[in-house]
Amino acid sequence: MNKLNWRSSLAVVMLLALLLPILAACGGGTATAPTTPPAPEAATTAPAPDAPTTPPAPDAPTTPPAPSGGTAQAGVLRINTESEPDNVDPQKSSFVREIQFIMMAYQALMTFDGNMEPIPAAAESVETSADGLKYTFKLRPDGQYSDGTPVTAQNFEYAWRRLADPETAGEYQSLPCGIIKGYSEYSATACEGMEMEETLARDQDELLANFGVKAIDDLTLEIELVAPAPYFLSMAALWIGAPAREQDIAQGDDWWYYPENYIGNGPFVLTEWDHGNRAVWEPNPNYAGPLGPVALQRVEYYMITESQVAFQAYQNGELDMLAVAPEDLQAVQSDPTLSQELLPVSGSCTFYFGFNTTKAPFEDLKVRQGFAQAFDREAWNRDIFGGLGSVAYSFIPPGFPGYQPELRLWEFDPEAAKAMIAESSYGGVENLPEIKLTYSASARNNARFEWMAGQLKTNLGIDAVLDPIDPTAFSAATKDNPPQMFSLGWCADYPDPQNWISLFQTNGLLSTRVGYSNPEFDALVTQADVEQDPVKRAELYAQAQEILVTDAPVAFTRNDGGYELVKPYVQGVTGETITPIDYWYGFFNLPNVDVQP
Amino acid sequence: MATTARSASALEELNLTATKPRSLWGDAWRRLRRNKAAMLGITMVFLYVFIAVAAPWLAPKNPVTQTSNNSLRPPIWVTDNPNRQPNPEHILGTDTNGRDILSRLIFATRVSLIVGVVPQIIIVVIGVGIGLVAGFRGGWVDNLLMRLTEIVASFPDLLFIITLTVAFRETLFGKAFNGLLLIFTALAVVGWTSLARLVRGQVLSLKEKEFVEAARALGIPTSRILVRHILPNTLAPIIVAVSFSIPSLILAEAILTFLGVGMRPSVDPANPLPTSLGQMMTDGFNNLSSGPWMLLFPVLLLSTLVISFTFLGDGLRDALDPRDAGR
Amino acid sequence: MTAYIIRRILWQIPVLVIVGLLTFGIAKMTPGGPFDTDPTRRQMSPQVEAVLRDRFGMDLPFWRQFTRYMFLDVVTDPKTGEQAIRWGAIGGNFGPTYSSRGARTVQQELFGERGGKPSRFYYSARLGVQALLFAVLLGIPMGVLAALKQNTWIDYLVLLTSTFFVSLSTLIVGFLLVLIFASGLQWFTVLPNWNDPIRPWILPTIALGSTSLGFITRLTRSSVLEVKRQDYVRTAQAKGLNDQVVVWRHMLKNAVLPVITILGPLSAALITGTLYTEIIFQVPGMGSLLIEAIGKRDYSMIMAGALVFVFFLGLANLMVDIAYGVVDPRISYK
């Protein structure tokens, strides 16, 4: 009620303001009504130099699907994907919004079930050799692309080769380095840092002959590994191995831009892509796999960047599902209707403060440990994030294999924190050098880190300097010259502890940013990465994570997640059927997802 | 007809200036005092200036002090939400971090006034100077200055300001005064061009006017013609443009904040410039559903601030118009 | 007159080059590069980044990168070894975008059809022209009216509302329009259906035009007041010409001069895209693309944004100067 009153009184004030000039104009009798002027002349306002001429105004719209507008239609699911993807070429993409596109149109060898276990998808079955070095995928005999051509092992062989091809230079090209046999040699630019010319000068045929991905026959694909990798089946479920076809890719670098080229074997077909606005998907009639038969008749992706607009659209019945922004949570919870539509979800990211162990004062273990318990994670999550997500004390988030709920070493304790710092080589808080907290600048982050700096002031008496830097510059800084103390996160690629813990190995992706290196930790991870016994493997990762938390090169703060708003008429999207790694919530439960208003 | 009447009055005016220097500002002040709207504007502007100066004594709380479990409290008269009762200590409620909105508004007034005025002074000096000279001298000077204006005006301002702030943010210069110095510079560097063009346009039509020709014919030096005759006649559009430019500067700061490259946040309780209206509006916009008061109050404050400047500007224009001398 | 126009057009070339050089310099100076993406995801390996840097020629000396982008480059075909000239921005080639990893060119993104849909330029230009017309057609009459009824309630009302519009950003005006007319009154949908030729355009036009409307109204009002006091108007009135004739024949023509001056920059800004209107009303225009490009360090797109803007501004200003000559015959162009 409160919210509505406020909103409506605000609206009335503004409405008056908007109407006044019109009233005033009418009072004088001079101005004409503000009818929208005819538009076509816009198109003729001088084209840019030598640019392709502007197309004329759309004549009688040949609307493919009827616009769903403000009312829900049976079988039509409308969701917000937040932004236009930059490139949805499977072997070149990495961003979450891009993956959301790719995995609608394509199906990899594997996919995930509701427990985030890899299950066969384009493959019918998979066999692992006893030594864990060879995977044999049997493809579905009924597998077809949406245009009716069969899916063959050669398609997959092509996709994996293309991923490795130095010319492709995809963002995730280095992921299988040192895992698939012959990959590092073939993809020497990405894996070994060889110069492009040198790489191409070698005998390509020989390199390809040794490449570990081979089509044995039309329906059998063999993948050989360098060393056992128990997480390999999860990797085989990623978008990077999606079987984009050679004849489609031959249409040009931007082949994926046009729906008519974007032909896949996934559960949906891209029928309309109004770039920058929306994309429309319809079920693939030829789809065969664990995600079918698809009950939905259409899925519409809307690219709404401004969360307030998306929230209005949801309230107006123009979206069927929407992630709740932290700022909106209070309004949602006090609304009698909306509060009934909340679905708690857990995210796939963990955020943390990185302590650069090569810079004072964080080279001192005690100082890091002191800082790790100096702030109230519970209060931060409650006050600043409205209780969305959860507090984190260790790296792997809840819901993921390897999560250790009992590992809560650095619970909030300001006295212990001060005592810890007093024990350090600095001898006390007052002797610490200036602390600068660097983070990626945005209006939202400012309020968040203002709060955090307030905590350091209250709990430790430290006047921390806030240093927001532009997101891209921040990204560059964490790679090239990591700041003293910074906020960062990591989001899962695939549900396996290897995707988390290994990143902190010496010279790993995340350890380099804090200068962390611990031989004992490295040894445990190296052993776990190739361990075939799942129980033993989990045990090794757990030990490694304990060392990581104890050493505190970073202080884990929170996991994302929170709530998704789901209209009551959306079926099949419930707490039991969603996973943190869904491309959109309910994706891995596709056969049961439907809209019945 | 009109020509003779005009030259007569011009000559009269010239005689006046020659014999007894007329007190332009005294006259103006007298006329200004008769204008009710302008006086209201002045009063309001002085009120805001007072608030800005006396902020530390006026604010009931420290604007950066955050209290736990106290976020998003509504103003004290909004009591219809049982889940979120107002806190009597915070008259206008609190923001997401549990900070007092009223106190923040008071300090933001200070920052916004500075953001509106300081770059504006630079803009007026550059813009009017270039416009006057270009319009009056004409020829190659005009051409050169207008090309310069065009080049600067050609920088797509938002794009340019963002690029500039992003590029220099991490330097010492970019960090001075919570990043305000950089914002001032960026705004001023791209902001003066439309004023220059406006002034030039006015001068172009003014210099053909009879009274200027008369003054020239009488051998009055160019600088004197510019200052005594052309400048006062261009004041009206300048003042209008300035009264519009002040809010647009304040808004530009808001846009930069919205894009994450505006003022730097501050948690230092002793910081004299902790937040701006733009920052508060951005926070408010993000929290529109949960805390509409976070947007409403800064918007209302900004509107009244702008309206006051406008009334003042209009009043000044009327008062400074030399042709109204007899009124 | 013709000579004047030709000279003005020729002047545009150095302007474009200088703006291009400055923009390029600042963009390159800015910390972070196009391959420093979201740090919460796996970053591309330094090796892959090196391949891409090489592909985009990012390791060439600055002047080479600039001339290559702006003017031309001699490219050697890797297979045949033949050399050919590849034109840069002056030839209408704004280069491949970094964000698409080189798959799409800037001119495709800005001016090309979006897979059977009108280009982003079409959306921006149409919206800009509509907003400008909205602001001018409503703003000038309102300004004249307020000036004629100076110090009456009509005047105050016009003043107050136009000031109010100027003091709100397009972001807030736009969002309020959504709140009132889409969420509240349900006259429109929050998410537009761009296959409809009229409906989705109405709210963004008003939102985008509102700030300019306030500006033009006030500018018109003050210049009409100014002209009203001029002797020739008084004389005309004294001669017994009735008010209507005086207003239209004498006053409006002069009063409109400052408004015309401001139209140049205004129209260029409105046409090359406006970020807020686009993000609030889901307009697939150029503005959001160009602003996002700064964050993404998409150098080719940043450059294109600046150059396209300069081009339109030059064009608009030229037209304004010609209009000046038409409205005020005392101004002559040598």
Side-chain angles (χ1 to χ4, degrees), chain A residues 1-3 5-6 330 334, chain B residues 72-88 90-91 93 293:
Chain A
M1 272 319 287
N2 167 27
K3 167 190 72 83
N5 276 351
W6 264 98
Q330 218 217 331
S334 40
Chain B
L72 284 175
R73 300 277 184 176
I76 47 169
W77 61 89
V78 183
T79 51
D80 54 355
N81 183 350
N83 296 331
R84 195 58 73 155
Q85 283 297 320
N87 181 339
H90 303 286
I91 296 171
W293 56 89

Side-chain angles (χ1 to χ4, degrees), chain A residues 103 107-121 231-239 290-291 400-401 493-496 577 579 581-583 587-590:
Chain A
M103 296 315 267
Q107 171 164 260
L109 290 166
M110 310 289 287
T111 184
F112 297 103
D113 66 5
N115 301 318
M116 294 194 287
E117 294 291 333
I119 53 166
Y231 49 87
F232 181 71
L233 288 179
S234 292
M235 198 179 277
L238 298 186
W239 68 99
L291 298 176
F400 277 78
D493 291 317
Y494 45 87
D496 190 281
T577 60
T579 74
I581 54 166
D582 272 308
Y583 305 120
F587 188 87
F588 292 129
N589 187 34
L590 209 45

Side-chain angles (χ1 to χ4, degrees), chain A residues 32-67:
Chain A
T32 47
T35 46
T36 330
E41 65 261 44
T44 57
T45 40
D50 287 329
T53 45
T54 320
D59 30 24
T62 49
T63 327

Side-chain angles (χ1 to χ4, degrees), chain C residues 47-246:
Chain C
Q47 292 87 347
V48 176
E49 190 176 325
V51 171
L52 288 174
R53 287 183 70 87
D54 183 55
R55 196 167 286 177
F56 281 98
M58 288 166 70
D59 298 321
L60 295 172
F62 176 82
W63 67 269
R64 270 277 282 145
Q65 290 188 49
F66 177 69
T67 49
R68 192 168 178 263
Y69 183 89
M70 199 74 195
F71 306 111
L72 56 94
D73 187 30
V74 179
V75 284
T76 316
D77 192 299
K79 293 191 186 78
T80 60
E82 276 173 39
Q83 294 202 321
I85 287 179
R86 190 182 55 208
W87 292 99
I90 51 163
N93 173 20
F94 295 101
T97 67
Y98 288 77
S99 57
S100 74
R101 307 292 175 245
R104 310 247 323 143
T105 63
V106 172
Q107 57 271 29
Q108 274 179 322
E109 287 288 333
L110 294 182
F111 305 106
E113 278 197 14
R114 296 170 306 124
K117 309 264 179 203
S119 65
R120 284 179 182 267
F121 172 72
Y122 166 78
Y123 280 91
S124 292
R126 178 172 166 187
L127 193 59
V129 170
Q130 283 178 185
L132 199 65
L133 287 178
F134 169 76
V136 169
L137 293 183
L138 205 61
I140 291 184
M142 269 168 59
V144 172
L145 182 73
L148 293 184
K149 311 267 179 195
Q150 194 188 7
N151 296 333
T152 65
W153 67 272
I154 295 180
D155 184 29
Y156 292 137
L157 208 60
V158 170
L159 257 184
L160 213 65
T161 49
S162 55
T163 316
F164 188 74
F165 273 128
V166 173
S167 71
L168 287 185
S169 82
T170 317
L171 180 74
I172 293 172
V173 174
F175 195 71
L176 287 169
L177 289 176
V178 169
L179 274 186
I180 295 163
F181 294 103
S183 298
L185 297 172
Q186 302 274 328
W187 292 353
F188 300 92
T189 51
V190 178
L191 305 178
N193 168 27
W194 290 109
N195 293 324
D196 186 324
I198 294 178
R199 260 180 112 72
W201 294 94
I202 297 175
L203 292 185
T205 301
I206 297 174
L208 183 56
S210 64
T211 311
S212 315
L213 173 69
F215 197 87
I216 289 176
T217 307
R218 286 188 35 82
L219 209 56
T220 312
R221 177 182 175 275
S222 64
S223 50
V224 170
L225 284 181
E226 178 103 342
V227 178
K228 215 168 115 181
R229 286 191 289 264
Q230 304 262 354
D231 301 316
Y232 63 90
V233 175
R234 289 189 195 157
T235 316
Q237 275 170 333
K239 274 182 3 192
L241 290 177
N242 73 34
D243 262 8
Q244 295 296 323
V245 179
V246 174

